[in-house]
Amino acid sequence: MMLAKAADSELVGGLYKELGDALAKQLGATPEYVVVSRNRVESNIERNKVDIHCNANPRWFGNAARLGWTRELYPQIERVVTLKGEPNISSVDQLAGKRVGTILGFHYPPLEPMWKAQRASRVNETRLDLMLKAVLMRLSDAAIPSELEYVAWARANPLEARALKVHPMVFTTMPTMCAVAPKGNFGVAELNRAIDRLEKNGQIKAILSRYQWQGG
């Protein structure tokens, strides 16, 4: 993940750590980060092996009904990325006839009807960097990354990023929140109050500003 910097299985930086540290401080707790594979996240929360997992949405979890859910923490926004010089894409219909880079296993509802009708083609990759590399190599005409992950990648790969264009159109937006363990150390109401304080004192906005696309 571009937003979670790990070393020797320890989380050492990135958006998730910054938000986790800020949330822990509001709770008067010392954070402990558990790095697990994506397919173990849901079971770890349900079995109370971790207290909370943020950057989550009930629609992404098969066991969402058995977990607690906080209020929204920040939106996950997807945008269209092409080679620089391409005309602005302002509607999904403009992707007709194009090879669109995606992440294997992810769903892209606005494009599903177009793919089904074979009006565009889907180019699956397993990682964000491979999806963007395909655009750079002209193996894909466009890619659909999340804004936060794209910005993190662009900062780590400034030369490659100069050849790409992020289109201003919001492809999709979805709220992210924290999934809460059924018998964890923190309840949903307590976490919501901590998130409220972070929002009111401007910390969430300040942290996100270091990772969001600023346009241009």
Side-chain angles (χ1 to χ4, degrees), residues 80-92:
V80 178
V81 172
T82 66
L83 287 173
K84 189 162 282 187
E86 292 291 321
N88 277 349
I89 292 174
S90 56
S91 74
V92 174

Side-chain angles (χ1 to χ4, degrees), residues 7-156:
D8 298 325
S9 298
E10 294 288 333
L11 194 64
V12 296
L15 173 65
Y16 301 160
K17 186 175 189 302
E18 285 199 56
L19 286 171
D21 288 350
L23 189 57
K25 186 174 181 180
Q26 288 295 325
L27 294 166
T30 300
E32 179 183 352
Y33 297 99
V34 181
V35 181
V36 298
S37 62
R38 173 61 185 88
N39 60 6
R40 291 177 53 202
V41 169
E42 296 173 31
S43 62
N44 269 255
I45 306 167
E46 187 173 349
R47 296 174 184 174
N48 306 293
K49 292 184 177 181
V50 297
D51 293 305
I52 62 173
H53 169 74
C54 299
N55 191 54
N57 183 290
R59 291 177 60 182
W60 305 338
F61 283 60
N63 64 345
R66 297 190 292 277
L67 309 177
W69 294 92
T70 67
R71 50 156 290 185
E72 180 179 351
L73 194 57
Y74 56 87
Q76 175 174 278
I77 297 169
E78 289 180 320
R79 294 188 186 270
V80 178
V81 172
T82 66
L83 287 173
K84 189 162 282 187
E86 292 291 321
N88 277 349
I89 292 174
S90 56
S91 74
V92 174
D93 284 343
Q94 288 175 264
L95 293 172
K98 296 188 182 297
R99 300 163 297 170
V100 183
T102 59
I103 297 296
L104 180 67
F106 280 29
H107 297 287
Y108 301 82
L111 279 170
E112 300 294 342
M114 193 177 291
W115 287 326
K116 188 174 182 180
Q118 297 185 341
R119 294 179 57 222
S121 56
R122 177 172 180 166
V123 181
N124 285 317
E125 303 290 353
T126 56
R127 302 195 312 265
L128 173 85
D129 59 324
L130 296 177
M131 184 169 67
L132 296 171
K133 183 178 181 181
V135 175
L136 290 166
M137 297 179 67
R138 300 181 183 273
L139 300 175
S140 296
D141 301 306
I144 313 290
S146 76
E147 179 182 283
L148 292 171
E149 287 190 307
Y150 176 80
V151 171
W153 174 87
R155 287 178 178 167

